[in-house]
Amino acid sequence: MTELPAPSLNADRVLTGVTLMLAFCVLAPLLDVSAKLATATLPVGQIVLARFIVQAGLMLPFVAVLRLDWRMSRRTLGFVFARAVCLMLATYCFVAAVAVMPIADALAIVFVEPFILLLLGSMLFGDEVGPRRIIASTIGFLGAILVIQPSISAFGWVALFPLGTALTFAAYMLITRAMSRAMHPVTMQLHTALAGSAICLPLMAVFDGSDIAELDAIMPQGIEWLWLFGVGFWAACSHMCITYALKFAPSATLAPLHYAELISAVTLGYLIFDDFPNLMTWAGIFIITGSGLYIIYREHVTARQTVTPPKQKR
């Protein structure tokens, strides 16, 4: 999630933030649905490229209307391209996974990302990580194994791709954290989409005619254009929702709501693809969700202890 400067909070603003966060949880799985529908006939690399191109086109009007500054330093430009590479890899791994496995299963595995983020934050930023959060992270990974094990049996090693998404998206989040004070989040999304397009286009050109199924682009036909547009459209809409949700409400309030995305993913997967998690997958989902919520709770407690100094004895 993209952090914004803490606003002055009131009940109406927080309610708006919560509403936008729930909108994200409904819209984000529509991106996954569009991608899964597209993978039936189109290469994964082409779907990733479509995400960036469409998202860039949709973000341009927002930057123009808000009259945001396009300029950035060379250092920030490097961060933008690093962020784009992480998002490109995260998207590729997830799209490749949902091409063969249910969206809810893949998303459940991706939700180990907060645990990875916790550990990376400790190593790179020196964030303090107590034993309770380490235990919760370990339990969360065990929950992921409950989802991964039957998935490997059913779909092969592609079931590990969501772990790649979790790892690269955690890196994406850390880069976003480093950039958040230097660039407006809307401009950040536009520049990331432009950088992703600049990286993907040459790659797709190089592999054109290579017979590598995942990267050899083909001309979309009929409704395939709609699926490609949907990938970028729902990506832009969902990210705008979460960006502005964080403007109105603190991340500590919004973070637990993120797990509502699993409900949307399960519902859409069942209605559109007739996919429904089995008992072992449900067990893994509950363990991952419970561990994630506990970590969020501990982050909130730690933040409060940091902000509120202990009372001195007289």
Side-chain angles (χ1 to χ4, degrees):
M1 297 181 188
T2 307
E3 286 288 350
L4 297 175
S8 57
L9 298 177
N10 59 53
D12 290 339
R13 290 176 65 90
V14 171
L15 180 60
T16 300
V18 168
T19 302
L20 287 169
M21 184 65 190
L22 292 175
F24 166 82
C25 293
V26 172
L27 297 177
L30 291 172
L31 156 63
D32 306 331
V33 168
S34 297
K36 187 174 179 68
L37 290 168
T39 56
T41 52
L42 297 173
V44 175
Q46 189 171 352
I47 297 169
V48 175
L49 172 61
R51 176 201 174 136
F52 285 120
I53 291 178
V54 174
Q55 190 168 354
L58 292 173
M59 296 306 299
L60 275 168
F62 284 95
V63 174
V65 170
L66 295 174
R67 297 181 180 180
L68 299 175
D69 189 359
W70 285 63
R71 295 172 297 178
M72 54 183 164
S73 65
R74 290 184 179 179
R75 180 175 180 272
T76 302
L77 180 63
F79 275 121
V80 166
F81 270 91
R83 189 172 187 262
V85 168
C86 290
L87 186 57
M88 179 183 70
L89 293 174
T91 304
Y92 184 94
C93 288
F94 193 78
V95 173
V98 299
V100 298
M101 64 188 296
I103 294 173
D105 292 36
L107 187 61
I109 299 170
V110 171
F111 268 111
V112 303
E113 179 261 335
F115 314 136
I116 297 174
L117 189 60
L118 189 72
L119 297 177
L120 289 178
S122 175
M123 292 187 293
L124 299 178
F125 293 96
D127 294 343
E128 185 177 350
V129 180
R132 295 178 183 178
R133 281 179 283 179
I134 292 175
I135 293 171
S137 297
T138 302
I139 293 173
F141 277 110
L142 293 176
I145 291 173
L146 288 179
V147 182
I148 292 171
Q149 187 174 0
S151 297
I152 288 179
S153 301
F155 311 113
W157 291 105
V158 72
L160 294 178
F161 273 39
L163 285 179
T165 297
L167 181 60
T168 51
F169 197 76
Y172 167 88
M173 293 295 291
L174 290 175
I175 294 170
T176 300
R177 173 179 170 178
M179 295 175 62
S180 59
R181 294 185 179 179
M183 184 180 291
H184 191 282
V186 174
T187 311
M188 192 189 304
Q189 287 189 42
L190 172 62
H191 283 314
T192 300
L194 291 172
S197 301
I199 295 169
C200 289
L201 274 170
L203 283 175
M204 296 301 294
V206 167
F207 287 98
D208 184 36
S210 65
D211 293 328
I212 298 177
E214 293 79 7
L215 297 172
D216 190 2
I218 62 175
M219 179 59 67
Q221 302 294 326
I223 200 169
E224 293 169 349
W225 287 106
L226 180 61
W227 304 146
L228 289 178
F229 178 78
V231 170
F233 178 78
W234 297 119
C237 289
S238 60
H239 279 262
M240 286 297 290
C241 284
I242 198 170
T243 295
Y244 281 95
L246 285 159
K247 182 177 182 179
F248 294 119
S251 57
T253 300
L254 300 178
L257 299 175
H258 194 188
Y259 288 94
E261 187 180 349
L262 276 169
I263 299 173
S264 300
V266 170
T267 303
L268 290 171
Y270 178 71
L271 293 176
I272 298 174
F273 304 106
D274 199 28
D275 292 330
F276 195 77
N278 57 33
L279 289 177
M280 187 172 290
T281 299
W282 274 118
I285 287 173
F286 282 121
I287 291 173
I288 294 168
T289 303
S291 301
L293 290 174
Y294 179 77
I295 286 177
I296 293 168
Y297 165 74
R298 289 303 306 170
E299 294 282 354
H300 183 59
V301 169
T302 302
R304 288 182 61 185
Q305 291 174 345
T306 302
V307 172
T308 306
K311 294 182 179 179
Q312 296 181 351
K313 295 182 179 180
R314 294 188 180 183

